[in-house]
Amino acid sequence: MAYTPAPPDPNAPPVRINLLSDTQTRPTPAMREAMARAAVGDEQTGDDPTVNALNERVAALLGKEAAVFLPSGTMCNVTATLATCRPGDEIIAHRTAHILSREGGAHAALGGFQITGLDGDDGQFSLDAFRAALHPRSRYEPPQTMVSVEQTANIGGGTIWPQATLDAIAAAGKEAGLATHMDGARLMNAAVATSIAAHEMAAGWDSAWIDFSKGLGAPVGASLAGSRAFIDEVWRWKQRLGGSMRQAGIIAAACHYALDHHVERLAEDHANARALAAGLAQIAGVDVQQPHTNLVFFRPDGAGVAGDAMVAELRQRGVLLAMMDGRIRACTHLDVSAAMIDETLALVREIVRKA
Ligand SMILES: *Cc1c(COP(=O)(O)O)cnc(C)c1O
């Protein structure tokens, strides 16, 4: 996941409150039971009934013809660009996008693609900025073949793109002949926070995916959806990259369980994030971005504590979080309670008081 891990400290106390990432959730006992009961087959040959049912379920959820189960969200992004672009092609995204900064250069290393990072507040670029980045096809410039957005925008603060902007950028992209790709690592957070259905958010986008191993609380897995022809091509890349699996119904069962039980409850994570942000905002000198979903970005420097010092002090008190791109990111999730938020706020106040 996208964070700068704190240096391991053998003397640090055990972590009691884990705000590092929604990837840190542990499968619940009920989820583990669902996994143990899963009907399984050979996923690679299309014979795993639990995976097949998940593919149909996610295709319907995202309003697409087909879907494929992959080991990670990163592999969703990588197979999507590999299935769509050719070497030398240009992909347009926000400059903080996961595909640009957090996937080890996969799109350049494996596909030979270049990604243009657009500016814009909160991890989002405007329709005007997108239009300004488009250029006519010529032998001089790289062919522009894809535009990608993150819903929600992670480094942007877990922000939700307005539906009208999503629709307008997708339409402008199609008009210019680009494929449209939605990185939906936290799409279900956006859907729950707005009551706009995931398929509606993804409607203008040729490909879209959701991650089960973030706020949904499953241990492994992400599903990429699109047209049948696109998914056929993604399958080729999944095979090439070694992403085809065997009795993957064991992990797909956790994803079914997550869709059944862990979607609506994302609202609790959002309420906890709002409570954390509201409490931090009351501490003089702490600069906090108002959260849209489950990510809270803040800077304590104005209160006399540098960000990395705050991270280290909290770690000494059993709270784990990290700096991300110059700010502290706190992430609420399944294993974070309202009481833990209260305790974290009390500890931040104590650290600021002592400084
Ligand atoms: C986490 C994340 C990914 C990658 O997903 P993994 O399952 O960690 O590979 C991609 N995009 C965004 C916005 C993310 O937050």
Side-chain angles (χ1 to χ4, degrees), residues 79-128:
T79 55
T81 64
L82 287 169
T84 306
C85 307
R86 300 203 316 179
D89 283 0
E90 179 184 349
I91 297 164
I92 298 174
H94 192 269
R95 67 179 168 73
T96 61
H98 203 277
I99 56 169
L100 246 175
S101 56
R102 314 259 169 192
E103 296 180 0
H107 305 270
L110 304 174
F113 316 135
Q114 53 181 315
I115 306 176
T116 297
L118 302 186
D119 285 325
D121 293 341
D122 300 340
Q124 304 180 15
F125 49 85
S126 65
L127 176 62
D128 284 349

Side-chain angles (χ1 to χ4, degrees), residues 189-338:
N189 291 82
V192 166
T194 57
S195 300
I196 299 172
H199 66 80
E200 206 173 316
M201 288 185 168
W205 301 80
D206 298 318
S207 48
W209 60 270
I210 55 171
D211 207 326
F212 293 106
S213 71
K214 301 258 167 103
L216 295 178
V220 190
S223 288
L224 173 61
S227 71
R228 182 136 340 251
F230 168 77
I231 292 300
D232 283 348
E233 198 53 30
V234 168
W235 254 108
R236 187 187 311 283
W237 279 106
K238 166 172 156 132
Q239 180 67 23
R240 281 180 178 155
L241 296 173
S244 295
M245 295 177 274
R246 297 280 146 67
Q247 287 70 39
I250 296 277
I251 51 175
C255 305
H256 280 290
Y257 184 91
L259 289 177
D260 289 336
H261 300 282
H262 291 172
V263 175
E264 293 311 318
R265 66 149 306 285
L266 291 170
E268 294 170 33
D269 300 341
H270 302 163
N272 284 335
R274 284 194 299 273
L276 178 62
L280 289 169
Q282 281 169 6
I283 304 171
V286 175
D287 179 32
V288 52
Q289 180 180 355
Q290 183 58 33
H292 291 191
T293 51
N294 68 326
L295 304 178
V296 180
F297 282 80
F298 67 102
R299 254 193 208 96
D301 304 64
V305 187
D308 35 13
M310 176 62 77
V311 167
E313 291 287 340
L314 283 169
R315 182 65 193 85
Q316 285 307 318
R317 292 161 175 81
V319 180
L320 180 64
L321 34 62
M323 297 286 285
M324 197 180 277
D325 288 7
R327 297 186 292 171
I328 300 177
R329 190 187 82 166
C331 181
T332 58
H333 53 74
L334 195 54
D335 297 344
V336 175
S337 66

Side-chain angles (χ1 to χ4, degrees), residues 1 72-74 77 98 103 150 154 183 185-186 209 211 214:
M1 226 323 269
S72 70
T74 299
N77 280 334
H98 203 277
E103 296 180 0
E150 283 177 14
N154 178 1
D183 170 338
R186 297 187 180 82
W209 60 270
D211 207 326
K214 301 258 167 103

